[in-house]
Amino acid sequence: MRISSGKLLHALGLTAVVIFTLFPFFWMVSASFKTQADILSSPPVWFFTPTLQNYAEIFADTKVSGAIINSLIVATCSTLLAVILGAPAAFALARYEFRGKSDLWFWFISNRMISPIVLALPVYLLAIQTGLLDTHLVLILIYLTFQLPIVVWIVTDQFKSIPADLEQAARLDGASQFTIFRKIYLPLGAPGIAVSAIFSFIFSWNELLYALVLTRRAVQTAPVVATSFMSGYELPWGKIMATGTVIVLPVTIFALIVSRHMVRGLTMGATK
Amino acid sequence: MSDTATSPAQRRPNRGYGRWTPLWFLAPAVLTLFVIGIYPTIFALVTSFRRYNITRPREGFPFIGFENYVNVLTDSTFWSSLLLTAKFYVTVLPIQVALGLAIALLLHKPGMGLLKSLARVTLVVPLATTYAVVGLIGRLIFNRDFGVANQALSVFGFGPIDWLSTQDGAFAAIVIMDVWQWTPFCALIFLAGLSMVPGEIEEAARLETSSKLALLRHVQLPYLLPGLTAVMILRSADVLKLFDMVFVMTRGGPGSATDLISIYIQRVGFRIFDLGTASAQAILLLILTIIISRLYIRLLYREVH
C-alpha cells in the first residue's frame, strides 16, 4: 500500500498540532512526578523515575487542600446563583419583545469584555467598608459579573430553539407563564443550562485577579495559593507543578465535556 | 376559546401574561448585575475624582476635580503601558490567526478521521488551562538553567537565552505562552467558518481548480471573515484584560518590559495604593472597552438590530 505524500503531510501536521497543544500540559504533569534534583538538572531530563512525593506533600499541606476547598465553594455557589438568576432572565429575553431589550443585551455582553481590574478597585474599597474582604461571599458575588452574561447568552439561545407550539398548548390548558417556564422551558433547556453552568464553573475556578485582591488568608483560592509558591529562593518546583496539575485537571475534564460548545462559550455566540 | 383561561381554581385570570411579566423574570438578574457591576463602577467613577491614597488616611479623601485624569493623561508610563499592550496585540494576533487558520485547514481536510478527532479535542486543553497555571508552566519552561526552551534552542545550536530576566526575552516568553493558549481559539472559530461552506459548492470548486490558495481565497474566505472579525475584537478586549498569566510569569518586568495595562493599573492601585489615580486609569480603560464591545455588537450581532 502506498501512502501519498499529501496524506503523510496531513498526518504529520495533525501530529504537530497535538504535540503543540499538549506539550506545556505534559511538561507540567511530568515535572509534578519529578524529584527536585531531576527538575533542577540541566539540561532537563525527559526520562526519570517518577515519584509521588510532591502529591503527598501538597495533600498534607492544609494550605493547598484548604485552597482547593475554597475554590470549590466559590465556584459551585457562584455557578448555582448564576443559573438561578440567569435562567429566568434568559426566558424573558427568548420569549418577549420589550423596550430596551437590545440595550440590555449590550450591557450583558459588555460584561464579557471588561477588565477585572476596573471592578477590582472599587469592590476592594467597598469590601473593606462592609467587612466583606476575605469572605467567600465577596468572591461569589463578583464572579457573577462574568458568569451571568455567559449563562444568559447560552440559555437564551437554547430557549429560542424550543418550539412555540408547546407553549401554545400549555397556555390553552391555562398554565401561567411561571408554570410554562418551570414545566416546559427548564426541562427542555436543561442541556443548555448544563453547558452554561460548566462554563461558569471553569471561568470562576480559573480566576486569579479578583481572588488575589479580595482575599487574605482565610479564603485564598487555588490559583492564589499556586502563585504564592512563587517567592523565596529555592522554589519548590515539584510542589508547584503538582498543585498546578490538581488545579487544571478538573477543569480540563469539564472542558472536554463541553468541547463542542467551546467557541460559543468564548465568543458569546457571535459565531456559530 | 381564548388563551385567558378562567378556571375557578385560578383566582387571577391572565396570570403571568401582563405587560410586566418579562420584568419579573429579568429583575433578579438585572438587579444583581446592577449591585455588583454598575454600583462599583459608579463608586470607581467617584473615586477617580478624589485624592484617595489609603496609606495616607490622615489626609482624607478630598475631591480634586479632574486632577487624577490630568495626571494620568500626562503620565508617560501610562501611555507606554498602553503602547506596549498594543504592541503585544499586534505581535500575537497575526501569529494566532496564521497558525489558527493552518490548524483549521488541517482539521477541515478530509481523511485521517481518528487523528483528526484527537487533534480537535486536544485544542480545548490550552483554552481551559487556568491562566495563572499557564504562567507557572511558563516560568518552568523558560527558566535559564533548567528550562526546556533553552534545551530546544541548543539542539539548533543556539546559546542559552536568559528569557525572563531580559527585556526582549520576557516579552517573547509571554507572547509564546499567549500564542499557545489562544491559537486553538482562532483555530476553532475558523474551523466553524470552514464547515459553513456548503458542501456542493466546495466540491464543485475542488473540481474546477487544483489550487488550494484559489479555493481558500474565492470560496472559503467569505465564510471565514465573520470569524476573523470576532477574533480581532475579542482578542483586543482579552489583551486589555490580560493579567493572570503575565503577573505570574514576570510581574510586568524586567523593568517595564511586560508591563501591560492591567498589570500597570493593578500596581498603581494595590502596590502604591493610589486608588484615585488607579480608578481614573480604570475608567479610561473601561471607556476603551465599551468602544470595543460596541464595535463587536455592531459588526457581529446583526440579528439584534
Side-chain angles (χ1 to χ4, degrees):
Chain A
M1 205 172 86
R2 268 187 70 236
I3 298 171
S4 70
S5 63
K7 266 195 173 157
L8 191 68
L9 274 178
H10 192 196
L12 279 177
L14 288 171
T15 313
V17 172
V18 174
I19 293 173
F20 168 76
T21 46
L22 289 187
F23 180 75
F25 186 77
F26 157 79
W27 198 246
M28 167 181 72
V29 176
S30 95
S32 75
F33 290 112
K34 286 179 185 172
T35 60
Q36 183 78 348
D38 276 337
I39 291 179
L40 296 182
S41 71
S42 171
V45 288
W46 289 65
F47 301 99
F48 55 92
T49 329
T51 167
L52 284 173
Q53 185 61 31
N54 297 316
Y55 288 95
E57 274 177 36
I58 61 161
F59 284 120
D61 186 344
T62 51
K63 206 170 134 197
V64 177
S65 46
I68 287 168
I69 291 169
N70 281 333
S71 276
L72 268 178
I73 294 173
V74 171
T76 310
C77 293
S78 58
T79 301
L80 276 177
L81 262 178
V83 169
I84 291 169
L85 296 169
F91 176 70
L93 286 166
R95 275 294 169 254
Y96 297 96
E97 288 305 323
F98 50 89
R99 238 176 354 139
K101 185 170 159 179
S102 62
D103 293 321
L104 204 61
W105 259 116
F106 168 68
W107 182 42
F108 276 131
I109 292 165
S110 303
N111 274 292
R112 152 78 174 72
M113 310 273 194
I114 293 170
S115 175
I117 192 67
V118 173
L119 287 180
L121 293 160
V123 169
Y124 170 74
L125 294 176
L126 291 167
I128 292 177
Q129 288 174 9
T130 51
L132 283 176
L133 200 67
D134 205 18
T135 59
H136 291 117
L137 184 64
V138 71
L139 281 188
I140 292 169
L141 289 176
I142 200 73
Y143 285 179
L144 283 173
T145 54
F146 55 83
Q147 290 180 319
L148 263 177
I150 290 167
V151 171
V152 167
W153 166 262
I154 294 179
V155 178
T156 305
D157 207 29
Q158 177 89 31
F159 281 172
K160 275 185 184 162
S161 70
I162 293 172
D165 313 0
L166 284 171
E167 191 181 333
Q168 287 303 326
R171 276 197 192 203
L172 292 179
D173 286 342
S176 74
Q177 281 296 73
F178 301 98
T179 317
I180 288 172
F181 171 65
R182 207 160 44 89
K183 292 269 172 67
I184 297 179
Y185 280 82
L186 278 186
L188 290 178
I193 294 174
V195 168
S196 73
I198 289 177
F199 273 112
S200 302
F201 189 92
I202 293 175
F203 287 135
S204 58
W205 181 268
N206 283 351
E207 206 283 327
L208 174 69
L209 176 53
Y210 288 131
L212 202 63
V213 167
L214 297 174
T215 66
R216 289 295 169 265
R217 219 153 258 138
V219 289
Q220 282 191 333
T221 57
V224 178
V225 166
T227 42
S228 74
F229 282 136
M230 283 311 222
S231 45
Y233 287 107
E234 176 94 334
L235 294 180
W237 282 105
K239 271 175 78 175
I240 293 171
M241 290 300 138
T243 311
T245 307
V246 171
I247 296 173
V248 169
L249 216 55
V251 282
T252 309
I253 292 166
F254 276 151
L256 292 177
I257 297 172
V258 292
S259 68
R260 280 191 312 121
H261 307 276
M262 205 71 196
V263 171
R264 252 187 345 148
L266 288 167
T267 60
M268 303 287 290
T271 57
K272 288 271 148 47
Chain B
M1 196 182 236
S2 74
D3 60 9
T4 55
T6 46
S7 65
Q10 265 179 305
R11 268 171 301 170
R12 274 167 49 206
N14 259 340
R15 208 154 43 118
Y17 291 96
R19 237 180 74 187
W20 299 106
T21 317
L23 193 73
W24 291 114
F25 286 102
L26 280 169
V30 171
L31 281 179
T32 309
L33 264 186
F34 197 88
V35 173
I36 60 179
I38 300 281
Y39 178 65
T41 310
I42 294 169
F43 192 86
L45 191 65
V46 174
T47 310
S48 74
F49 291 108
R50 302 174 107 150
R51 182 172 297 132
Y52 210 119
N53 192 322
I54 51 173
T55 57
R56 278 177 264 155
R58 285 231 189 114
E59 295 172 13
F61 308 123
F63 280 97
I64 49 170
F66 281 91
E67 200 182 301
N68 286 325
Y69 286 92
V70 173
N71 288 341
V72 170
L73 292 172
T74 53
D75 169 17
S76 63
T77 322
F78 178 73
W79 288 108
S80 57
S81 170
L82 264 183
L83 208 65
L84 187 77
T85 312
K87 182 182 152 197
F88 184 80
Y89 174 68
V90 298
T91 312
V92 293
L93 190 75
I95 306 175
Q96 286 165 349
V97 167
L99 278 179
L101 185 60
I103 294 173
L105 287 170
L106 278 174
L107 290 174
H108 184 64
K109 200 176 153 167
M112 298 286 157
L114 197 66
L115 189 58
K116 216 159 67 178
S117 332
L118 179 70
R120 165 78 181 69
V121 165
T122 53
L123 283 181
V124 173
V125 171
L127 289 173
T129 306
T130 312
Y131 312 134
V133 175
V134 176
L136 295 175
I137 300 173
R139 291 271 297 254
L140 184 64
I141 287 180
F142 290 106
N143 188 286
R144 189 193 54 187
D145 302 319
F146 51 86
V148 73
N150 277 342
Q151 187 184 27
L153 282 183
S154 71
V155 172
F156 299 102
F158 292 103
I161 296 177
D162 196 354
W163 292 92
L164 297 176
S165 322
T166 56
Q167 305 240 330
D168 292 340
F171 189 77
I174 63 166
V175 165
I176 291 170
M177 289 320 277
D178 193 78
V179 165
W180 173 71
Q181 186 158 38
W182 291 102
T183 297
F185 174 62
C186 302
L188 288 173
I189 286 186
F190 289 142
L191 183 62
L194 287 176
S195 56
M196 300 278 277
V197 181
E200 44 304 2
I201 293 181
E202 199 180 321
E203 285 303 312
R206 277 188 201 278
L207 293 177
E208 286 277 310
T209 171
S210 60
S211 157
K212 297 264 161 59
L213 211 64
L215 181 73
L216 181 63
R217 223 186 110 202
H218 298 296
V219 180
Q220 294 170 326
L221 192 63
Y223 291 90
L224 291 172
L225 284 179
L228 183 65
T229 318
V231 163
M232 285 171 64
I233 298 177
L234 284 174
R235 290 302 296 139
S236 71
D238 287 342
V239 167
L240 289 175
K241 275 165 76 168
L242 186 61
F243 175 85
D244 300 4
M245 181 268 282
V246 179
F247 180 78
V248 173
M249 252 171 102
T250 64
R251 305 261 150 136
S256 57
T258 55
D259 206 12
L260 302 180
I261 190 69
S262 285
I263 305 256
Y264 176 59
I265 299 178
Q266 189 268 350
R267 199 176 59 239
V268 173
F270 296 107
R271 291 285 167 269
I272 307 170
F273 286 107
D274 186 351
L275 286 138
T277 307
S279 296
Q281 291 167 337
I283 294 294
L284 292 171
L285 182 62
L286 179 67
I287 292 169
L288 198 59
T289 314
I290 288 175
I291 295 170
I292 290 172
S293 52
R294 276 258 172 230
L295 206 65
Y296 187 63
I297 289 162
R298 179 74 35 90
L299 294 174
L300 290 157
Y301 289 90
R302 291 195 188 85
E303 61 211 84
V304 178
H305 291 282

